[in-house]
Amino acid sequence: GPNNVSMGELDRIAQNIIKSHLETCQYTTEELQQLAWQTHSYEEVKMYQSKPRDVLWQQCAIQITHAIQYVVEFAKRISGFMELCQNDQILLLKSGCLEVVLVRMCRAFNPLNNTVLFEGKYGGMQMFKALGCDDLVSAVFDFAKSLCSLQLTEEEIALFSAAVLISTDRPWLMEPRKVQKLQEKIYFALQHIMQKNHMDEDALAKLISRIPTLSALCTLHTEELQAFQQLHPETVNVLFPPLYKELFN
Amino acid sequence: KEKHKILHQLLQNSTS
């Protein structure tokens, strides 16, 4: 294998990450398939649209925080993650957890009608109108659609999520070499699986080219949160989940 | 560490 990593080791890494992913997804593939055509009714969408801005922001913050807790659990189960120093574990999660949530979101996105699973049913972009950040919402939907177009398998989503999380691009890592070694193995495993699954030789390159968009979305989210907080400081301080504030504030 | 109390706690909790 590449860089003296044996195929056996790559396979072990892949299996561990796939298992960790499947054990920590909020919904199984079967559950998502069953829900795929259960969409919020016109009245329900209207109800979301007529909510006060801060109420919908709070609801979204709660959903995101919930999803992030599963991502933390995912990270903990990846062999090698808990062997990193605590500083780096926290740093990688702080900077990468929302990116992983966005990658995972493509599982709960229906590209045929551009809807996403939110509070039990699927709904389109217009459902989030009251947030007052159409740019962010439409960028997130575009991203989900573009990731769906790559038709990734559950295994590829698992390995890609791990590759996004365990990244040497994060500033202030204390043991970047250790992170790099782990990341390289994950990429080799991802490459191996993608070569097996896709006729398209550029599939991996296409997938990797989505990473800058992920990071741009997270920056946009932080900016929108700051703008929102200026107008509704009490909502953020009192009503937002503590973990969300800790990560993004 | 103080700044990331909850994240720290989640990492410490044994995997459920």
PDB file of all heavy atoms in Angstrom, chain A residues 53-79:
ATOM      1  N   ARG A  53     -38.356  35.600  13.945  1.00  0.00           N
ATOM      2  CA  ARG A  53     -36.998  35.231  13.525  1.00  0.00           C
ATOM      3  C   ARG A  53     -36.225  34.499  14.633  1.00  0.00           C
ATOM      4  O   ARG A  53     -35.602  33.468  14.385  1.00  0.00           O
ATOM      5  CB  ARG A  53     -36.246  36.516  13.123  1.00  0.00           C
ATOM      6  CG  ARG A  53     -34.916  36.225  12.511  1.00  0.00           C
ATOM      7  CD  ARG A  53     -34.175  37.489  12.106  1.00  0.00           C
ATOM      8  NE  ARG A  53     -32.940  37.126  11.401  1.00  0.00           N
ATOM      9  CZ  ARG A  53     -31.837  37.864  11.408  1.00  0.00           C
ATOM     10  NH1 ARG A  53     -31.794  39.013  12.048  1.00  0.00           N
ATOM     11  NH2 ARG A  53     -30.764  37.463  10.756  1.00  0.00           N
ATOM     12  N   ASP A  54     -36.299  35.049  15.853  1.00  0.00           N
ATOM     13  CA  ASP A  54     -35.493  34.455  16.918  1.00  0.00           C
ATOM     14  C   ASP A  54     -35.979  33.059  17.304  1.00  0.00           C
ATOM     15  O   ASP A  54     -35.188  32.208  17.699  1.00  0.00           O
ATOM     16  CB  ASP A  54     -35.429  35.376  18.145  1.00  0.00           C
ATOM     17  CG  ASP A  54     -36.792  35.729  18.678  1.00  0.00           C
ATOM     18  OD1 ASP A  54     -37.744  35.827  17.881  1.00  0.00           O
ATOM     19  OD2 ASP A  54     -36.919  35.909  19.899  1.00  0.00           O
ATOM     20  N   VAL A  55     -37.264  32.811  17.160  1.00  0.00           N
ATOM     21  CA  VAL A  55     -37.800  31.482  17.490  1.00  0.00           C
ATOM     22  C   VAL A  55     -37.268  30.429  16.520  1.00  0.00           C
ATOM     23  O   VAL A  55     -36.825  29.355  16.931  1.00  0.00           O
ATOM     24  CB  VAL A  55     -39.357  31.493  17.490  1.00  0.00           C
ATOM     25  CG1 VAL A  55     -39.912  30.085  17.639  1.00  0.00           C
ATOM     26  CG2 VAL A  55     -39.873  32.396  18.601  1.00  0.00           C
ATOM     27  N   LEU A  56     -37.273  30.761  15.225  1.00  0.00           N
ATOM     28  CA  LEU A  56     -36.767  29.799  14.239  1.00  0.00           C
ATOM     29  C   LEU A  56     -35.253  29.605  14.381  1.00  0.00           C
ATOM     30  O   LEU A  56     -34.745  28.490  14.244  1.00  0.00           O
ATOM     31  CB  LEU A  56     -37.141  30.217  12.812  1.00  0.00           C
ATOM     32  CG  LEU A  56     -36.899  29.134  11.749  1.00  0.00           C
ATOM     33  CD1 LEU A  56     -37.686  27.867  12.036  1.00  0.00           C
ATOM     34  CD2 LEU A  56     -37.242  29.640  10.347  1.00  0.00           C
ATOM     35  N   TRP A  57     -34.554  30.682  14.673  1.00  0.00           N
ATOM     36  CA  TRP A  57     -33.103  30.570  14.913  1.00  0.00           C
ATOM     37  C   TRP A  57     -32.848  29.602  16.063  1.00  0.00           C
ATOM     38  O   TRP A  57     -31.982  28.731  15.980  1.00  0.00           O
ATOM     39  CB  TRP A  57     -32.498  31.937  15.261  1.00  0.00           C
ATOM     40  CG  TRP A  57     -31.793  32.588  14.110  1.00  0.00           C
ATOM     41  CD1 TRP A  57     -32.339  33.406  13.168  1.00  0.00           C
ATOM     42  CD2 TRP A  57     -30.398  32.463  13.768  1.00  0.00           C
ATOM     43  NE1 TRP A  57     -31.380  33.802  12.265  1.00  0.00           N
ATOM     44  CE2 TRP A  57     -30.172  33.238  12.610  1.00  0.00           C
ATOM     45  CE3 TRP A  57     -29.316  31.776  14.319  1.00  0.00           C
ATOM     46  CZ2 TRP A  57     -28.924  33.345  12.000  1.00  0.00           C
ATOM     47  CZ3 TRP A  57     -28.070  31.881  13.717  1.00  0.00           C
ATOM     48  CH2 TRP A  57     -27.882  32.659  12.569  1.00  0.00           C
ATOM     49  N   GLN A  58     -33.619  29.759  17.116  1.00  0.00           N
ATOM     50  CA  GLN A  58     -33.439  28.890  18.276  1.00  0.00           C
ATOM     51  C   GLN A  58     -33.709  27.422  17.894  1.00  0.00           C
ATOM     52  O   GLN A  58     -32.948  26.527  18.265  1.00  0.00           O
ATOM     53  CB  GLN A  58     -34.368  29.336  19.399  1.00  0.00           C
ATOM     54  CG  GLN A  58     -34.098  28.611  20.711  1.00  0.00           C
ATOM     55  CD  GLN A  58     -35.250  28.744  21.692  1.00  0.00           C
ATOM     56  OE1 GLN A  58     -36.171  29.538  21.486  1.00  0.00           O
ATOM     57  NE2 GLN A  58     -35.210  27.956  22.748  1.00  0.00           N
ATOM     58  N   GLN A  59     -34.772  27.197  17.137  1.00  0.00           N
ATOM     59  CA  GLN A  59     -35.101  25.832  16.708  1.00  0.00           C
ATOM     60  C   GLN A  59     -33.967  25.221  15.886  1.00  0.00           C
ATOM     61  O   GLN A  59     -33.620  24.061  16.059  1.00  0.00           O
ATOM     62  CB  GLN A  59     -36.395  25.834  15.894  1.00  0.00           C
ATOM     63  CG  GLN A  59     -37.642  25.688  16.757  1.00  0.00           C
ATOM     64  CD  GLN A  59     -38.898  25.785  15.919  1.00  0.00           C
ATOM     65  OE1 GLN A  59     -39.292  26.882  15.529  1.00  0.00           O
ATOM     66  NE2 GLN A  59     -39.521  24.657  15.652  1.00  0.00           N
ATOM     67  N   CYS A  60     -33.423  26.024  14.979  1.00  0.00           N
ATOM     68  CA  CYS A  60     -32.320  25.534  14.147  1.00  0.00           C
ATOM     69  C   CYS A  60     -31.071  25.272  14.992  1.00  0.00           C
ATOM     70  O   CYS A  60     -30.376  24.269  14.781  1.00  0.00           O
ATOM     71  CB  CYS A  60     -32.006  26.522  13.031  1.00  0.00           C
ATOM     72  SG  CYS A  60     -33.286  26.556  11.767  1.00  0.00           S
ATOM     73  N   ALA A  61     -30.809  26.162  15.939  1.00  0.00           N
ATOM     74  CA  ALA A  61     -29.639  25.975  16.810  1.00  0.00           C
ATOM     75  C   ALA A  61     -29.773  24.667  17.585  1.00  0.00           C
ATOM     76  O   ALA A  61     -28.795  23.933  17.764  1.00  0.00           O
ATOM     77  CB  ALA A  61     -29.489  27.157  17.760  1.00  0.00           C
ATOM     78  N   ILE A  62     -30.985  24.360  18.014  1.00  0.00           N
ATOM     79  CA  ILE A  62     -31.226  23.115  18.757  1.00  0.00           C
ATOM     80  C   ILE A  62     -30.977  21.901  17.855  1.00  0.00           C
ATOM     81  O   ILE A  62     -30.316  20.943  18.243  1.00  0.00           O
ATOM     82  CB  ILE A  62     -32.653  23.100  19.353  1.00  0.00           C
ATOM     83  CG1 ILE A  62     -32.744  24.124  20.495  1.00  0.00           C
ATOM     84  CG2 ILE A  62     -33.035  21.702  19.858  1.00  0.00           C
ATOM     85  CD1 ILE A  62     -34.149  24.396  21.003  1.00  0.00           C
ATOM     86  N   GLN A  63     -31.498  21.955  16.627  1.00  0.00           N
ATOM     87  CA  GLN A  63     -31.306  20.836  15.688  1.00  0.00           C
ATOM     88  C   GLN A  63     -29.826  20.632  15.356  1.00  0.00           C
ATOM     89  O   GLN A  63     -29.346  19.504  15.302  1.00  0.00           O
ATOM     90  CB  GLN A  63     -32.082  21.091  14.386  1.00  0.00           C
ATOM     91  CG  GLN A  63     -33.596  21.127  14.538  1.00  0.00           C
ATOM     92  CD  GLN A  63     -34.181  19.796  14.978  1.00  0.00           C
ATOM     93  OE1 GLN A  63     -33.695  18.743  14.586  1.00  0.00           O
ATOM     94  NE2 GLN A  63     -35.195  19.834  15.819  1.00  0.00           N
ATOM     95  N   ILE A  64     -29.129  21.734  15.124  1.00  0.00           N
ATOM     96  CA  ILE A  64     -27.704  21.644  14.791  1.00  0.00           C
ATOM     97  C   ILE A  64     -26.920  21.058  15.969  1.00  0.00           C
ATOM     98  O   ILE A  64     -26.072  20.180  15.798  1.00  0.00           O
ATOM     99  CB  ILE A  64     -27.145  23.040  14.396  1.00  0.00           C
ATOM    100  CG1 ILE A  64     -27.721  23.477  13.046  1.00  0.00           C
ATOM    101  CG2 ILE A  64     -25.619  23.034  14.347  1.00  0.00           C
ATOM    102  CD1 ILE A  64     -27.406  24.914  12.668  1.00  0.00           C
ATOM    103  N   THR A  65     -27.246  21.533  17.158  1.00  0.00           N
ATOM    104  CA  THR A  65     -26.543  21.047  18.356  1.00  0.00           C
ATOM    105  C   THR A  65     -26.758  19.547  18.540  1.00  0.00           C
ATOM    106  O   THR A  65     -25.830  18.803  18.869  1.00  0.00           O
ATOM    107  CB  THR A  65     -27.030  21.801  19.604  1.00  0.00           C
ATOM    108  OG1 THR A  65     -26.920  23.202  19.352  1.00  0.00           O
ATOM    109  CG2 THR A  65     -26.209  21.442  20.826  1.00  0.00           C
ATOM    110  N   HIS A  66     -27.989  19.125  18.296  1.00  0.00           N
ATOM    111  CA  HIS A  66     -28.309  17.711  18.408  1.00  0.00           C
ATOM    112  C   HIS A  66     -27.451  16.908  17.427  1.00  0.00           C
ATOM    113  O   HIS A  66     -26.837  15.901  17.784  1.00  0.00           O
ATOM    114  CB  HIS A  66     -29.806  17.530  18.123  1.00  0.00           C
ATOM    115  CG  HIS A  66     -30.330  16.218  18.579  1.00  0.00           C
ATOM    116  ND1 HIS A  66     -31.331  15.543  17.935  1.00  0.00           N
ATOM    117  CD2 HIS A  66     -29.973  15.429  19.611  1.00  0.00           C
ATOM    118  CE1 HIS A  66     -31.557  14.403  18.560  1.00  0.00           C
ATOM    119  NE2 HIS A  66     -30.765  14.310  19.576  1.00  0.00           N
ATOM    120  N   ALA A  67     -27.390  17.372  16.202  1.00  0.00           N
ATOM    121  CA  ALA A  67     -26.598  16.688  15.173  1.00  0.00           C
ATOM    122  C   ALA A  67     -25.113  16.667  15.557  1.00  0.00           C
ATOM    123  O   ALA A  67     -24.410  15.675  15.308  1.00  0.00           O
ATOM    124  CB  ALA A  67     -26.797  17.371  13.816  1.00  0.00           C
ATOM    125  N   ILE A  68     -24.648  17.747  16.164  1.00  0.00           N
ATOM    126  CA  ILE A  68     -23.230  17.840  16.543  1.00  0.00           C
ATOM    127  C   ILE A  68     -22.886  16.818  17.628  1.00  0.00           C
ATOM    128  O   ILE A  68     -21.802  16.216  17.617  1.00  0.00           O
ATOM    129  CB  ILE A  68     -22.884  19.277  17.000  1.00  0.00           C
ATOM    130  CG1 ILE A  68     -22.791  20.189  15.778  1.00  0.00           C
ATOM    131  CG2 ILE A  68     -21.567  19.311  17.790  1.00  0.00           C
ATOM    132  CD1 ILE A  68     -22.683  21.659  16.093  1.00  0.00           C
ATOM    133  N   GLN A  69     -23.823  16.575  18.538  1.00  0.00           N
ATOM    134  CA  GLN A  69     -23.556  15.591  19.582  1.00  0.00           C
ATOM    135  C   GLN A  69     -23.279  14.212  18.980  1.00  0.00           C
ATOM    136  O   GLN A  69     -22.434  13.465  19.465  1.00  0.00           O
ATOM    137  CB  GLN A  69     -24.724  15.539  20.564  1.00  0.00           C
ATOM    138  CG  GLN A  69     -24.730  16.766  21.475  1.00  0.00           C
ATOM    139  CD  GLN A  69     -25.989  16.876  22.303  1.00  0.00           C
ATOM    140  OE1 GLN A  69     -27.092  16.815  21.779  1.00  0.00           O
ATOM    141  NE2 GLN A  69     -25.821  17.013  23.593  1.00  0.00           N
ATOM    142  N   TYR A  70     -23.979  13.888  17.899  1.00  0.00           N
ATOM    143  CA  TYR A  70     -23.730  12.620  17.204  1.00  0.00           C
ATOM    144  C   TYR A  70     -22.362  12.634  16.523  1.00  0.00           C
ATOM    145  O   TYR A  70     -21.701  11.601  16.437  1.00  0.00           O
ATOM    146  CB  TYR A  70     -24.823  12.354  16.162  1.00  0.00           C
ATOM    147  CG  TYR A  70     -26.130  11.888  16.760  1.00  0.00           C
ATOM    148  CD1 TYR A  70     -27.106  12.797  17.157  1.00  0.00           C
ATOM    149  CD2 TYR A  70     -26.387  10.530  16.933  1.00  0.00           C
ATOM    150  CE1 TYR A  70     -28.313  12.374  17.705  1.00  0.00           C
ATOM    151  CE2 TYR A  70     -27.582  10.102  17.477  1.00  0.00           C
ATOM    152  CZ  TYR A  70     -28.543  11.022  17.861  1.00  0.00           C
ATOM    153  OH  TYR A  70     -29.719  10.596  18.410  1.00  0.00           O
ATOM    154  N   VAL A  71     -21.961  13.791  16.030  1.00  0.00           N
ATOM    155  CA  VAL A  71     -20.653  13.897  15.375  1.00  0.00           C
ATOM    156  C   VAL A  71     -19.528  13.703  16.400  1.00  0.00           C
ATOM    157  O   VAL A  71     -18.515  13.059  16.108  1.00  0.00           O
ATOM    158  CB  VAL A  71     -20.510  15.248  14.633  1.00  0.00           C
ATOM    159  CG1 VAL A  71     -19.098  15.425  14.096  1.00  0.00           C
ATOM    160  CG2 VAL A  71     -21.521  15.348  13.502  1.00  0.00           C
ATOM    161  N   VAL A  72     -19.725  14.239  17.599  1.00  0.00           N
ATOM    162  CA  VAL A  72     -18.722  14.046  18.662  1.00  0.00           C
ATOM    163  C   VAL A  72     -18.575  12.546  18.940  1.00  0.00           C
ATOM    164  O   VAL A  72     -17.473  12.015  19.053  1.00  0.00           O
ATOM    165  CB  VAL A  72     -19.112  14.809  19.953  1.00  0.00           C
ATOM    166  CG1 VAL A  72     -18.140  14.495  21.086  1.00  0.00           C
ATOM    167  CG2 VAL A  72     -19.158  16.317  19.700  1.00  0.00           C
ATOM    168  N   GLU A  73     -19.708  11.872  19.002  1.00  0.00           N
ATOM    169  CA  GLU A  73     -19.702  10.425  19.247  1.00  0.00           C
ATOM    170  C   GLU A  73     -18.993   9.686  18.098  1.00  0.00           C
ATOM    171  O   GLU A  73     -18.243   8.742  18.329  1.00  0.00           O
ATOM    172  CB  GLU A  73     -21.152   9.961  19.396  1.00  0.00           C
ATOM    173  CG  GLU A  73     -21.348   8.694  20.167  1.00  0.00           C
ATOM    174  CD  GLU A  73     -20.662   8.664  21.524  1.00  0.00           C
ATOM    175  OE1 GLU A  73     -20.781   9.659  22.288  1.00  0.00           O
ATOM    176  OE2 GLU A  73     -20.001   7.663  21.828  1.00  0.00           O
ATOM    177  N   PHE A  74     -19.242  10.144  16.881  1.00  0.00           N
ATOM    178  CA  PHE A  74     -18.562   9.579  15.700  1.00  0.00           C
ATOM    179  C   PHE A  74     -17.046   9.711  15.860  1.00  0.00           C
ATOM    180  O   PHE A  74     -16.304   8.738  15.724  1.00  0.00           O
ATOM    181  CB  PHE A  74     -19.058  10.307  14.442  1.00  0.00           C
ATOM    182  CG  PHE A  74     -18.281  10.028  13.177  1.00  0.00           C
ATOM    183  CD1 PHE A  74     -18.175   8.735  12.676  1.00  0.00           C
ATOM    184  CD2 PHE A  74     -17.674  11.070  12.472  1.00  0.00           C
ATOM    185  CE1 PHE A  74     -17.472   8.482  11.494  1.00  0.00           C
ATOM    186  CE2 PHE A  74     -16.981  10.827  11.300  1.00  0.00           C
ATOM    187  CZ  PHE A  74     -16.869   9.528  10.809  1.00  0.00           C
ATOM    188  N   ALA A  75     -16.603  10.913  16.192  1.00  0.00           N
ATOM    189  CA  ALA A  75     -15.166  11.176  16.337  1.00  0.00           C
ATOM    190  C   ALA A  75     -14.548  10.255  17.386  1.00  0.00           C
ATOM    191  O   ALA A  75     -13.483   9.666  17.161  1.00  0.00           O
ATOM    192  CB  ALA A  75     -14.946  12.638  16.726  1.00  0.00           C
ATOM    193  N   LYS A  76     -15.251  10.121  18.511  1.00  0.00           N
ATOM    194  CA  LYS A  76     -14.702   9.326  19.607  1.00  0.00           C
ATOM    195  C   LYS A  76     -14.490   7.872  19.217  1.00  0.00           C
ATOM    196  O   LYS A  76     -13.639   7.190  19.758  1.00  0.00           O
ATOM    197  CB  LYS A  76     -15.651   9.391  20.814  1.00  0.00           C
ATOM    198  CG  LYS A  76     -15.589  10.727  21.528  1.00  0.00           C
ATOM    199  CD  LYS A  76     -16.719  10.889  22.522  1.00  0.00           C
ATOM    200  CE  LYS A  76     -16.569   9.986  23.730  1.00  0.00           C
ATOM    201  NZ  LYS A  76     -17.675  10.240  24.708  1.00  0.00           N
ATOM    202  N   ARG A  77     -15.297   7.395  18.280  1.00  0.00           N
ATOM    203  CA  ARG A  77     -15.199   5.982  17.899  1.00  0.00           C
ATOM    204  C   ARG A  77     -14.177   5.723  16.798  1.00  0.00           C
ATOM    205  O   ARG A  77     -13.933   4.578  16.434  1.00  0.00           O
ATOM    206  CB  ARG A  77     -16.578   5.471  17.455  1.00  0.00           C
ATOM    207  CG  ARG A  77     -17.545   5.455  18.631  1.00  0.00           C
ATOM    208  CD  ARG A  77     -18.920   5.004  18.215  1.00  0.00           C
ATOM    209  NE  ARG A  77     -19.866   5.299  19.285  1.00  0.00           N
ATOM    210  CZ  ARG A  77     -20.914   4.545  19.590  1.00  0.00           C
ATOM    211  NH1 ARG A  77     -21.155   3.454  18.908  1.00  0.00           N
ATOM    212  NH2 ARG A  77     -21.713   4.888  20.571  1.00  0.00           N
ATOM    213  N   ILE A  78     -13.630   6.785  16.214  1.00  0.00           N
ATOM    214  CA  ILE A  78     -12.617   6.602  15.166  1.00  0.00           C
ATOM    215  C   ILE A  78     -11.293   6.201  15.817  1.00  0.00           C
ATOM    216  O   ILE A  78     -10.775   6.936  16.664  1.00  0.00           O
ATOM    217  CB  ILE A  78     -12.430   7.901  14.343  1.00  0.00           C
ATOM    218  CG1 ILE A  78     -13.733   8.266  13.626  1.00  0.00           C
ATOM    219  CG2 ILE A  78     -11.291   7.742  13.335  1.00  0.00           C
ATOM    220  CD1 ILE A  78     -13.675   9.603  12.890  1.00  0.00           C
ATOM    221  N   SER A  79     -10.768   5.059  15.426  1.00  0.00           N
ATOM    222  CA  SER A  79      -9.494   4.598  15.989  1.00  0.00           C
ATOM    223  C   SER A  79      -8.437   5.670  15.765  1.00  0.00           C
ATOM    224  O   SER A  79      -8.250   6.129  14.644  1.00  0.00           O
ATOM    225  CB  SER A  79      -9.035   3.311  15.304  1.00  0.00           C
ATOM    226  OG  SER A  79      -9.944   2.301  15.561  1.00  0.00           O
TER     227      SER A  79
END
